[in-house]
Amino acid sequence: MWPNQTRSWSRSPLFQILSNPEFLAEGTAIQDLFNPDRVLIGGRETPEGQKAVQTLKAVYAHWVPEDQILTTNLWSAELSKLAANAFLAQRISSVNAMSALCEATGANVSEVSYAVGKDSRIGPKFLNASVGFGGSCFQKDILNLVYICECNGLPEVANYWKQVIKINDYQKSRFVNRVVSSMFNTVANKKIAVLGFAFKKDTGDTRETPAIDVCKGLLGDKAKISIYDPQVTEDQIQRDLAMNKFDWDHPVHLQPMSPTTTKQVSVTWDAYEATKDAHGICIMTEWDEFKTLDYKKIYDSMQKPAFVFDGRNVVDSEKLREIGFIVYSIGKPLDGWLKDMPAVA
């Protein structure tokens, strides 16, 4: 303050904190913004808080119908966001749990999920069996929910939601075990082509992608991995595979890949190059181009017997078997002599 300057005090403005969680999905974020299922606004249950809620509601009302703008208290808004992602992940883990049972009994998980989805109380969305869910939200939000439950003295509820993640981890381990057991109980020094590394198609996002754990599982058995993804860079793949993973059930850090293991991984920008001289193919992302590849050309360039392990159920397994592949599809009746193999845990 300068000499002789008079200090003037003004009343500090009063701020209100609102909760306005987003429900955008990667690949459709702009569409989700302009045509949302709902907009959720949470605020304090005071006159000032409700005035702030109505102010924000008026902004959204310019393009969102008023009956789709929901207003709640702060905790309801925060938990609604976590619950939405937890419920979606739960559906994926549920159908993936059924996929293991389908393989054990000879049922077809696509037929089961279709029949279940025709029930109007359930619906068909998020009932596609796969090698597991990934992305930045599902696991993070479930773990947030687990933490809140434990802090509020609800261990049984926390354990319920933990199980959703455990089934997801189990599905990835089961997939790796199926690959190894199908290829005569070892993939050591065998080339495995991994088609797709992103956690879902139409994005280059690799956060929590199942491909990381599957690749690490195969590398643990000394496989040679060749990876192709149309959007994920080699640097990103190498960083993901070199990163430590924290096991929250057994709090120790798993070891990152050693320089020797890193040499067992190659990244290509062509699916045909990735599969050349490979013993097996693992389809890890549901990219549309994987449905239309020339699999006869791929088969001719591979070692024999040639295996396809479809972690997303994107290829026509019968057509591939006609070409000569031994095919494993998540939750589908097993191929030929694989039927006589014991269930993979």
Side-chain angles (χ1 to χ4, degrees), residues 198-247:
F199 83 92
K200 71 174 184 177
K201 71 174 185 177
D202 300 328
T203 177
D205 196 341
T206 62
R207 287 175 290 181
E208 302 294 342
T209 175
I212 295 175
D213 288 334
V214 169
C215 286
K216 286 187 175 182
L218 296 173
L219 289 167
D221 198 49
K222 309 300 182 184
K224 297 178 180 178
I225 306 292
S226 181
I227 302 171
Y228 165 69
D229 188 286
Q231 287 197 21
V232 183
T233 66
E234 179 175 1
D235 285 346
Q236 183 63 54
I237 290 172
Q238 295 288 3
R239 282 197 301 270
D240 287 334
L241 292 179
M243 186 171 56
N244 286 356
K245 179 181 178 179
F246 188 75
D247 184 343

Side-chain angles (χ1 to χ4, degrees), residues 190-195 197 215 219 223-229 232-235 237-238 241 257 260-270 273-276 278:
K190 295 177 182 177
K191 180 180 177 181
I192 306 296
V194 173
L195 298 185
F197 199 83
C215 286
L219 289 167
K224 297 178 180 178
I225 306 292
S226 181
I227 302 171
Y228 165 69
D229 188 286
V232 183
T233 66
E234 179 175 1
D235 285 346
I237 290 172
Q238 295 288 3
L241 292 179
M257 289 199 309
T260 302
T261 306
T262 304
K263 294 178 182 178
Q264 295 174 233
V265 178
S266 63
V267 180
T268 73
W269 285 101
D270 178 76
E273 181 64 26
T275 56
K276 184 179 179 181

Side-chain angles (χ1 to χ4, degrees), residues 101-123:
L101 183 58
C102 286
E103 291 171 26
T105 60
N108 185 321
V109 74
S110 295
E111 296 173 350
V112 172
S113 63
Y114 180 77
V116 170
K118 294 299 285 185
D119 189 323
S120 60
R121 298 167 300 176
I122 299 173

Side-chain angles (χ1 to χ4, degrees), residues 273-327:
E273 181 64 26
T275 56
K276 184 179 179 181
D277 294 321
H279 295 78
I281 300 170
C282 293
I283 301 176
M284 300 302 300
T285 311
E286 69 279 19
W287 288 104
D288 290 337
E289 68 179 85
F290 296 159
K291 302 175 184 178
T292 58
L293 292 172
D294 185 343
Y295 282 97
K296 179 62 169 64
K297 175 181 176 181
I298 289 174
Y299 178 80
D300 290 341
S301 72
M302 289 177 64
Q303 301 288 331
K304 307 299 183 299
F307 294 83
V308 171
F309 301 93
D310 187 358
R312 296 289 178 176
N313 285 337
V314 298
V315 297
D316 188 326
S317 56
E318 290 305 316
K319 287 184 178 179
L320 264 59
R321 288 179 180 125
E322 290 174 4
I323 292 173
F325 286 103
I326 297 171
V327 183

Side-chain angles (χ1 to χ4, degrees), residues 16 43-55 71-73:
Q16 290 295 322
R44 297 188 183 280
E45 296 175 302
T46 62
E48 296 82 6
Q50 292 306 298
K51 183 180 178 180
V53 167
Q54 293 304 315
T55 301
T71 60
T72 68
N73 66 37

Side-chain angles (χ1 to χ4, degrees), residues 99-163:
S99 73
L101 183 58
C102 286
E103 291 171 26
T105 60
N108 185 321
V109 74
S110 295
E111 296 173 350
V112 172
S113 63
Y114 180 77
V116 170
K118 294 299 285 185
D119 189 323
S120 60
R121 298 167 300 176
I122 299 173
K125 294 185 177 180
F126 282 78
L127 287 181
N128 294 321
S130 70
V131 69
F133 61 73
S136 63
C137 292
F138 283 174
Q139 179 161 310
K140 169 181 64 68
D141 285 352
I142 291 175
L143 292 178
N144 283 338
L145 201 57
V146 167
Y147 175 77
I148 294 171
C149 290
E150 290 176 339
C151 287
N152 283 276
L154 299 170
E156 292 82 4
V157 181
N159 289 335
Y160 174 84
W161 289 111
K162 280 183 182 180
Q163 194 62 32

